[in-house]
Amino acid sequence: MPTEITPEELCELSEKLRSKRSPERRSAAKKIGKKHITSLGDELLEAYLKEREDKRTWETQTEMIKALGRLDHKAAIPYLKDIVDRDLDADTITAYAALSYIRLTRQSKDDMTVTLTLFEKGSAMVFDGAVMALAYDDVLPTEEQMKRLMSIFRKRRKVYERPYSNPIHQMIGMMYRWSDEIKREFTDRYKAMPQYGYVISKTLAGKRSIRE
């Protein structure tokens, strides 16, 4: 829900989006998203379209993309789709573009249509964004969708079982409300690995452990 904000704060955030300093633009985007200031959505998108021209400011671009998704700013959809379609490897922007793209295109929080497509077709970063959408937004798939997801996960282990920054913690965590039989198939694969012990224990106990 939008947070109350004064006209002075709105003006300050608007000015920071146009600042010459990337950290100030990044800070403004983060605050706009966190406080859900929808009235600055158009300015945020305009700032992002300018920001994306500078490859050095990927952290600022990421915060702007995250904020656009939180604001449900539909005008950003074609730009995010373009990033998702390019599907670059080892690219943080791509992962968060996939997250925001899902948030902007789904019909409800539990609508899995776009998410399933990205799980099936996306490479590592797009896959990670789909995981974040389920984990961060506490999405509960239907039983049929859980089974379909498990089928995808079996086939696509090479996508997410990788030595660097993999999403397995989040994948385990997002299953905490799944049926026991289905989630145990996944958790049993990693139960001997100490790094996953905490999140597995929480998930099997039906407790949420992953938040944005």
Side-chain angles (χ1 to χ4, degrees), residues 126-143:
V126 168
F127 190 99
D128 286 7
V131 171
M132 288 190 285
L134 294 191
Y136 292 168
D137 296 343
D138 199 19
V139 175
L140 180 62
T142 65
E143 188 92 357

Side-chain angles (χ1 to χ4, degrees), residues 48-107:
Y48 165 69
L49 293 178
K50 182 177 180 181
E51 195 76 39
R52 68 177 181 169
E53 300 301 320
D54 188 347
K55 294 181 180 181
R56 298 170 302 174
T57 64
W58 63 270
E59 291 174 298
T60 299
Q61 292 174 52
T62 298
E63 284 299 338
M64 289 178 171
I65 285 169
K66 288 161 65 175
L68 288 165
R70 288 173 179 156
L71 297 185
D72 196 31
H73 197 72
K74 304 293 190 187
I77 289 175
Y79 306 105
L80 299 178
K81 184 178 185 301
D82 182 57
I83 298 171
V84 171
D85 288 346
R86 290 202 306 270
D87 201 357
L88 299 179
D89 188 38
D91 181 66
T92 301
I93 290 173
T94 298
Y96 281 97
L99 167 62
S100 289
Y101 180 68
I102 290 169
R103 285 173 166 171
L104 292 177
T105 55
R106 65 192 177 192
Q107 299 302 305

Side-chain angles (χ1 to χ4, degrees), residues 156-168:
R156 309 209 69 207
R157 284 178 181 141
K158 289 183 179 179
V159 174
Y160 62 86
E161 287 187 343
R162 51 187 190 266
Y164 65 92
S165 188
N166 69 60
I168 294 172

Side-chain angles (χ1 to χ4, degrees), residues 173-189:
M174 77 188 189
M175 297 178 184
Y176 80 100
R177 291 192 292 162
W178 291 26
S179 65
D180 193 60
E181 180 182 356
I182 294 175
K183 67 187 176 187
R184 277 188 180 276
E185 177 189 341
F186 195 81
T187 59
D188 282 355
R189 183 172 176 83

